Amino acid sequence: MQDERPKSFVKLVLRVRRRIETVIGQLTERFEIEKCHCRDRWHMTSRIARKLLAHNIGSYLNIIAGRPAIQFENLISED
């Protein structure tokens, strides 16, 4: 089947998809977002919000330091 989409659009979609899948992997691995032992919706929402906020702050600190945004391995150590 012939793909009629422009190659630049396909590259953009693949790049965005790779970033999204990486972030989801980080959230499940580092922040254990799959395991949210909550009894009600309020606590579940606040826990997920805290985990997302922590991820966003880590990304922001990496951007300020001039590193790739989603590479958290060397975030605490000094270069």
Side-chain angles (χ1 to χ4, degrees):
M1 196 169 176
Q2 188 76 12
D3 191 9
E4 297 179 9
R5 298 177 294 181
K7 289 193 182 258
S8 61
F9 177 73
V10 173
K11 277 185 167 181
L12 175 68
V13 168
L14 289 176
R15 193 174 74 227
V16 170
R17 181 178 177 176
R18 186 176 303 122
R19 172 69 59 100
I20 290 170
E21 288 178 355
T22 302
V23 169
I24 289 172
Q26 287 176 343
L27 287 171
T28 57
E29 201 173 298
R30 289 192 177 105
F31 294 102
E32 295 180 359
I33 206 159
E34 288 179 339
K35 300 173 188 171
C36 191
H37 305 288
C38 305
R39 294 182 187 225
D40 58 4
R41 192 178 307 168
W42 171 256
H43 289 99
M44 180 186 70
T45 305
S46 66
R47 284 185 187 188
I48 290 174
R50 284 193 311 256
K51 292 176 182 189
L52 291 174
L53 180 64
H55 187 272
N56 287 334
I57 289 172
S59 297
Y60 178 71
L61 292 174
N62 272 336
I63 290 170
I64 289 175
R67 297 187 196 117
I70 56 175
Q71 207 170 29
F72 296 130
E73 287 82 23
N74 298 324
L75 186 63
I76 296 176
S77 66
E78 291 186 33
D79 293 327

